[in-house]
Amino acid sequence: MRKNFFIFGIALLIITFAIYLLFDVGLIFMAVLVILLLVGYANSVQHKHAILRNFPVLGYFRYLFEMIAPEIQQYFIERNTDGKPFSRSQRSLAYQRSKNIDATTPFGTQLDINQSCYEGIKHSIFPATVNEELPRVLVGGPDCKQPYSASLLNISAMSFGSLSENAIVALNKGAQKGNFYHNTGEGGLTQFHQQGGDVTWQIGTGYFGCRNAEGGFDAEKFEQKANLPEVKMIEIKLSQGAKPGHGGVLPATKNTEEIAKIRGVEPHTTILSPPGHSAFSDTNGLITFISELRRLSNGKPIGFKLCIGKTTEFEAICEAMVAQNCYPDFITVDGAEGGTGAAPLEFSDGVGMPYEPALIFVNKTLVFYGIRDKIRVICSGKIISGYSILKAVALGADMCNSARGFMFSLGCIQALRCNTNTCPTGVATQDKMLMKGLVVSDKSERVFHFHRNTLHAANELLAAAGKSSFADVDINIFMRGDEFTHLADLYFPDNLKSVTRY
C-alpha cells in the first residue's frame, strides 16, 4: 500500500500540475497533494506506528475511527438493553428521574424474561399503602456518642480530583437539599465538600487530609477535621471493589496544583495510594485504629469499607471485634463490579467478590458471631434504581451508596473517559473549559430529584410486595427464572395437596 500511495500520489500531482499549466486552475489542490505526499513520506520512514508506515496518511483514519468508536457504539449500534456497565435503559431511567420527568416505559418489557437469569419481585395481591416519607436508618453502635440518622440512599465515595470541583459542589448541594450524606472518597475533605450537605469523610491508605510529611496518619490533622459539624461519619477504606488490593489512582493529568496542595503531594504526577494502611497491619490493629478514630472524633460513627476477597480475613476481623469488645458502627461492602476513574484491567475484571455473594456472606458472618445488631451494613454496588435498593436490602444491607447513579444525575453519558481528563460533560475532569459545561445550580437540583424519585420508587416496590417497612424485606420476596425450571410443577393446581373438585 505504501508503494501504491506514492505511485498514485505522484501521478496525480503530475496531472494536476499539467492542468495548472494549461488552464491556470488547481493550484490549491496541487498544494494539498504536496502536503499529503510530504506527510505520507514522514509516515513511511517513522518507526513507531506500523499502520502509518504501511498505509501512509490513510492510517490516520484507523485512529479516527478508534477514537470515536465508543460514540458510534453508543449512539448507532447499542440497543436499549445493551451497554456496559449500565444499559441505555438504566441510564435513561436515571436521567428522567434526575430531571423530575415521567420515568415510565411503554409497550411492555424489552427483556427476555423467560430465561433462568430473570429476577423479579413476588408482588402481593393485597399491596400495602405506599409510604410517602423517605426511609432513614440510624447509624451508631454501643460506643457511639453521636449517632447519625442517614438516608437509605446516599452518595458513594468519589474524590475531588477524580471528579471536578463543579461536580463535587453540585453533589454536596443536592445532598443538603435532600438530607442525605455525601462520601468524600479517599481524596480528602475539601472546601467543595463543605457546601452544607452532610459528609462521610473517607480515610484511605494515602491519608489525604490527615497526612504527615512521610505520608502516614496524622492524628492532630484528623481530629481537627473530624470534629467539623458537617462530618457526620468517618469511613476507613480498606479496599475498593473496582481495584481491591491496589490502592487509588489519580492520573498526572488530573493532579493539578490545587489538588496536590489539598492532598499533600507533588503536582502533575500520577498518585498511587499504597495498597494497604501504614497505621495498622493486622485485624487487631484495625480494631484499635477504629477505637482511636472514635476517640479523636468525640464518638462519631466509625466504619470501614472493603471488597471481600479471602473470607477468612473478614472472619478474623469479626473475632477481633468480639475479643476487644470494640465494633465499627458500620461496614460498607463494595462489590467487584464497582466503578472507578482509573484501574488496571486485570484488577477491574478479575479481582474481588461481586456484591451479591459478598453481602450475603458479611450479613451471615455477623449473625454467626452474634454482632449483627451492633453494626449497620452499607451496600456500595451498581445501585441505580428502586429495584436495586430493595434487592440490596433483601441480601443483607441496611443502607445503600451509589456513585455512578449520581454521576448520571450530573449528566454523565458513560463516555468511558474518566481516566483521561477529557470527560465531555465536565463531571470527571480538571479541564476548566469542560468544567464550565456543568452548571452547579442545575445539576444540584438533578441530584436532589434523582435521590428522591429513586427512593420513592423503592417505596412503591416495597408496597407492591405487601410490605410496610424495609425491615420486613428478605430474599423471599424475590424470584429467579431458574426457580421456574426446578419448581415448575408447583405452579399448577394438579399438584396442590387439596383441590376441591366439583
PDB file of all heavy atoms in Angstrom, residues 302-320:
ATOM      1  N   ILE A 302     -17.936   5.405  63.289  1.00  0.00           N
ATOM      2  CA  ILE A 302     -16.727   4.997  62.569  1.00  0.00           C
ATOM      3  C   ILE A 302     -16.997   3.642  61.908  1.00  0.00           C
ATOM      4  O   ILE A 302     -17.551   2.736  62.544  1.00  0.00           O
ATOM      5  CB  ILE A 302     -15.516   4.843  63.514  1.00  0.00           C
ATOM      6  CG1 ILE A 302     -15.344   6.092  64.402  1.00  0.00           C
ATOM      7  CG2 ILE A 302     -14.253   4.557  62.712  1.00  0.00           C
ATOM      8  CD1 ILE A 302     -14.982   7.343  63.663  1.00  0.00           C
ATOM      9  N   GLY A 303     -16.599   3.527  60.650  1.00  0.00           N
ATOM     10  CA  GLY A 303     -16.774   2.248  59.964  1.00  0.00           C
ATOM     11  C   GLY A 303     -15.647   2.010  58.988  1.00  0.00           C
ATOM     12  O   GLY A 303     -14.708   2.792  58.895  1.00  0.00           O
ATOM     13  N   PHE A 304     -15.742   0.905  58.271  1.00  0.00           N
ATOM     14  CA  PHE A 304     -14.742   0.647  57.242  1.00  0.00           C
ATOM     15  C   PHE A 304     -15.408   0.095  55.991  1.00  0.00           C
ATOM     16  O   PHE A 304     -16.505  -0.462  56.043  1.00  0.00           O
ATOM     17  CB  PHE A 304     -13.629  -0.286  57.744  1.00  0.00           C
ATOM     18  CG  PHE A 304     -14.082  -1.647  58.203  1.00  0.00           C
ATOM     19  CD1 PHE A 304     -14.268  -2.683  57.295  1.00  0.00           C
ATOM     20  CD2 PHE A 304     -14.280  -1.912  59.555  1.00  0.00           C
ATOM     21  CE1 PHE A 304     -14.660  -3.940  57.720  1.00  0.00           C
ATOM     22  CE2 PHE A 304     -14.662  -3.174  59.988  1.00  0.00           C
ATOM     23  CZ  PHE A 304     -14.862  -4.186  59.067  1.00  0.00           C
ATOM     24  N   LYS A 305     -14.714   0.277  54.879  1.00  0.00           N
ATOM     25  CA  LYS A 305     -15.192  -0.181  53.580  1.00  0.00           C
ATOM     26  C   LYS A 305     -14.240  -1.230  53.040  1.00  0.00           C
ATOM     27  O   LYS A 305     -13.017  -1.072  53.122  1.00  0.00           O
ATOM     28  CB  LYS A 305     -15.266   1.005  52.604  1.00  0.00           C
ATOM     29  CG  LYS A 305     -15.602   0.618  51.166  1.00  0.00           C
ATOM     30  CD  LYS A 305     -15.615   1.861  50.283  1.00  0.00           C
ATOM     31  CE  LYS A 305     -15.912   1.512  48.834  1.00  0.00           C
ATOM     32  NZ  LYS A 305     -15.989   2.724  47.969  1.00  0.00           N
ATOM     33  N   LEU A 306     -14.807  -2.292  52.451  1.00  0.00           N
ATOM     34  CA  LEU A 306     -13.951  -3.322  51.884  1.00  0.00           C
ATOM     35  C   LEU A 306     -14.670  -4.078  50.788  1.00  0.00           C
ATOM     36  O   LEU A 306     -15.899  -4.097  50.725  1.00  0.00           O
ATOM     37  CB  LEU A 306     -13.466  -4.308  52.955  1.00  0.00           C
ATOM     38  CG  LEU A 306     -14.405  -5.449  53.375  1.00  0.00           C
ATOM     39  CD1 LEU A 306     -13.635  -6.474  54.201  1.00  0.00           C
ATOM     40  CD2 LEU A 306     -15.631  -4.965  54.113  1.00  0.00           C
ATOM     41  N   CYS A 307     -13.880  -4.636  49.915  1.00  0.00           N
ATOM     42  CA  CYS A 307     -14.343  -5.620  48.942  1.00  0.00           C
ATOM     43  C   CYS A 307     -13.895  -6.974  49.464  1.00  0.00           C
ATOM     44  O   CYS A 307     -12.725  -7.138  49.814  1.00  0.00           O
ATOM     45  CB  CYS A 307     -13.755  -5.335  47.565  1.00  0.00           C
ATOM     46  SG  CYS A 307     -14.165  -6.569  46.303  1.00  0.00           S
ATOM     47  N   ILE A 308     -14.811  -7.912  49.552  1.00  0.00           N
ATOM     48  CA  ILE A 308     -14.470  -9.215  50.119  1.00  0.00           C
ATOM     49  C   ILE A 308     -13.574  -9.998  49.164  1.00  0.00           C
ATOM     50  O   ILE A 308     -13.861 -10.107  47.971  1.00  0.00           O
ATOM     51  CB  ILE A 308     -15.732 -10.041  50.431  1.00  0.00           C
ATOM     52  CG1 ILE A 308     -16.566  -9.334  51.514  1.00  0.00           C
ATOM     53  CG2 ILE A 308     -15.371 -11.449  50.877  1.00  0.00           C
ATOM     54  CD1 ILE A 308     -15.901  -9.265  52.864  1.00  0.00           C
ATOM     55  N   GLY A 309     -12.483 -10.509  49.709  1.00  0.00           N
ATOM     56  CA  GLY A 309     -11.591 -11.396  48.964  1.00  0.00           C
ATOM     57  C   GLY A 309     -11.481 -12.707  49.717  1.00  0.00           C
ATOM     58  O   GLY A 309     -12.329 -13.588  49.568  1.00  0.00           O
ATOM     59  N   LYS A 310     -10.464 -12.822  50.573  1.00  0.00           N
ATOM     60  CA  LYS A 310     -10.343 -14.012  51.423  1.00  0.00           C
ATOM     61  C   LYS A 310     -11.363 -13.915  52.553  1.00  0.00           C
ATOM     62  O   LYS A 310     -11.273 -13.043  53.410  1.00  0.00           O
ATOM     63  CB  LYS A 310      -8.934 -14.094  52.005  1.00  0.00           C
ATOM     64  CG  LYS A 310      -7.838 -14.315  50.973  1.00  0.00           C
ATOM     65  CD  LYS A 310      -6.471 -14.369  51.647  1.00  0.00           C
ATOM     66  CE  LYS A 310      -5.373 -14.585  50.630  1.00  0.00           C
ATOM     67  NZ  LYS A 310      -4.024 -14.606  51.259  1.00  0.00           N
ATOM     68  N   THR A 311     -12.321 -14.812  52.541  1.00  0.00           N
ATOM     69  CA  THR A 311     -13.404 -14.739  53.536  1.00  0.00           C
ATOM     70  C   THR A 311     -12.881 -14.954  54.957  1.00  0.00           C
ATOM     71  O   THR A 311     -13.439 -14.424  55.919  1.00  0.00           O
ATOM     72  CB  THR A 311     -14.492 -15.777  53.226  1.00  0.00           C
ATOM     73  OG1 THR A 311     -13.886 -17.087  53.128  1.00  0.00           O
ATOM     74  CG2 THR A 311     -15.173 -15.452  51.908  1.00  0.00           C
ATOM     75  N   THR A 312     -11.805 -15.712  55.091  1.00  0.00           N
ATOM     76  CA  THR A 312     -11.252 -15.972  56.430  1.00  0.00           C
ATOM     77  C   THR A 312     -10.740 -14.688  57.079  1.00  0.00           C
ATOM     78  O   THR A 312     -10.720 -14.586  58.307  1.00  0.00           O
ATOM     79  CB  THR A 312     -10.116 -17.000  56.346  1.00  0.00           C
ATOM     80  OG1 THR A 312      -9.149 -16.564  55.372  1.00  0.00           O
ATOM     81  CG2 THR A 312     -10.651 -18.363  55.939  1.00  0.00           C
ATOM     82  N   GLU A 313     -10.323 -13.720  56.250  1.00  0.00           N
ATOM     83  CA  GLU A 313      -9.826 -12.461  56.813  1.00  0.00           C
ATOM     84  C   GLU A 313     -10.963 -11.666  57.448  1.00  0.00           C
ATOM     85  O   GLU A 313     -10.775 -11.046  58.505  1.00  0.00           O
ATOM     86  CB  GLU A 313      -9.134 -11.640  55.730  1.00  0.00           C
ATOM     87  CG  GLU A 313      -7.836 -12.253  55.249  1.00  0.00           C
ATOM     88  CD  GLU A 313      -7.123 -11.411  54.206  1.00  0.00           C
ATOM     89  OE1 GLU A 313      -7.780 -10.556  53.570  1.00  0.00           O
ATOM     90  OE2 GLU A 313      -5.909 -11.605  54.018  1.00  0.00           O
ATOM     91  N   PHE A 314     -12.137 -11.682  56.813  1.00  0.00           N
ATOM     92  CA  PHE A 314     -13.267 -10.976  57.428  1.00  0.00           C
ATOM     93  C   PHE A 314     -13.708 -11.687  58.703  1.00  0.00           C
ATOM     94  O   PHE A 314     -14.073 -11.037  59.692  1.00  0.00           O
ATOM     95  CB  PHE A 314     -14.440 -10.872  56.454  1.00  0.00           C
ATOM     96  CG  PHE A 314     -15.593 -10.081  56.997  1.00  0.00           C
ATOM     97  CD1 PHE A 314     -15.530  -8.689  57.052  1.00  0.00           C
ATOM     98  CD2 PHE A 314     -16.726 -10.710  57.488  1.00  0.00           C
ATOM     99  CE1 PHE A 314     -16.585  -7.943  57.574  1.00  0.00           C
ATOM    100  CE2 PHE A 314     -17.785  -9.977  58.019  1.00  0.00           C
ATOM    101  CZ  PHE A 314     -17.710  -8.589  58.053  1.00  0.00           C
ATOM    102  N   GLU A 315     -13.668 -13.012  58.705  1.00  0.00           N
ATOM    103  CA  GLU A 315     -13.997 -13.750  59.915  1.00  0.00           C
ATOM    104  C   GLU A 315     -13.021 -13.386  61.038  1.00  0.00           C
ATOM    105  O   GLU A 315     -13.423 -13.254  62.204  1.00  0.00           O
ATOM    106  CB  GLU A 315     -13.954 -15.254  59.626  1.00  0.00           C
ATOM    107  CG  GLU A 315     -15.055 -15.707  58.675  1.00  0.00           C
ATOM    108  CD  GLU A 315     -14.848 -17.135  58.184  1.00  0.00           C
ATOM    109  OE1 GLU A 315     -13.811 -17.744  58.548  1.00  0.00           O
ATOM    110  OE2 GLU A 315     -15.711 -17.627  57.440  1.00  0.00           O
ATOM    111  N   ALA A 316     -11.756 -13.217  60.675  1.00  0.00           N
ATOM    112  CA  ALA A 316     -10.749 -12.843  61.683  1.00  0.00           C
ATOM    113  C   ALA A 316     -11.044 -11.453  62.249  1.00  0.00           C
ATOM    114  O   ALA A 316     -10.831 -11.202  63.447  1.00  0.00           O
ATOM    115  CB  ALA A 316      -9.357 -12.889  61.073  1.00  0.00           C
ATOM    116  N   ILE A 317     -11.518 -10.530  61.393  1.00  0.00           N
ATOM    117  CA  ILE A 317     -11.884  -9.194  61.866  1.00  0.00           C
ATOM    118  C   ILE A 317     -13.022  -9.296  62.876  1.00  0.00           C
ATOM    119  O   ILE A 317     -13.014  -8.636  63.928  1.00  0.00           O
ATOM    120  CB  ILE A 317     -12.285  -8.291  60.680  1.00  0.00           C
ATOM    121  CG1 ILE A 317     -11.064  -7.990  59.818  1.00  0.00           C
ATOM    122  CG2 ILE A 317     -12.919  -6.993  61.175  1.00  0.00           C
ATOM    123  CD1 ILE A 317     -11.388  -7.226  58.537  1.00  0.00           C
ATOM    124  N   CYS A 318     -14.011 -10.138  62.576  1.00  0.00           N
ATOM    125  CA  CYS A 318     -15.137 -10.308  63.496  1.00  0.00           C
ATOM    126  C   CYS A 318     -14.664 -10.883  64.829  1.00  0.00           C
ATOM    127  O   CYS A 318     -15.131 -10.467  65.903  1.00  0.00           O
ATOM    128  CB  CYS A 318     -16.187 -11.226  62.873  1.00  0.00           C
ATOM    129  SG  CYS A 318     -17.034 -10.501  61.450  1.00  0.00           S
ATOM    130  N   GLU A 319     -13.742 -11.834  64.766  1.00  0.00           N
ATOM    131  CA  GLU A 319     -13.203 -12.406  66.003  1.00  0.00           C
ATOM    132  C   GLU A 319     -12.463 -11.348  66.817  1.00  0.00           C
ATOM    133  O   GLU A 319     -12.558 -11.325  68.056  1.00  0.00           O
ATOM    134  CB  GLU A 319     -12.276 -13.573  65.665  1.00  0.00           C
ATOM    135  CG  GLU A 319     -13.008 -14.780  65.090  1.00  0.00           C
ATOM    136  CD  GLU A 319     -12.065 -15.858  64.595  1.00  0.00           C
ATOM    137  OE1 GLU A 319     -10.828 -15.642  64.672  1.00  0.00           O
ATOM    138  OE2 GLU A 319     -12.559 -16.902  64.123  1.00  0.00           O
ATOM    139  N   ALA A 320     -11.736 -10.467  66.137  1.00  0.00           N
ATOM    140  CA  ALA A 320     -11.015  -9.398  66.841  1.00  0.00           C
ATOM    141  C   ALA A 320     -11.996  -8.408  67.463  1.00  0.00           C
ATOM    142  O   ALA A 320     -11.748  -7.899  68.570  1.00  0.00           O
ATOM    143  CB  ALA A 320     -10.082  -8.676  65.870  1.00  0.00           C
TER     144      ALA A 320
END
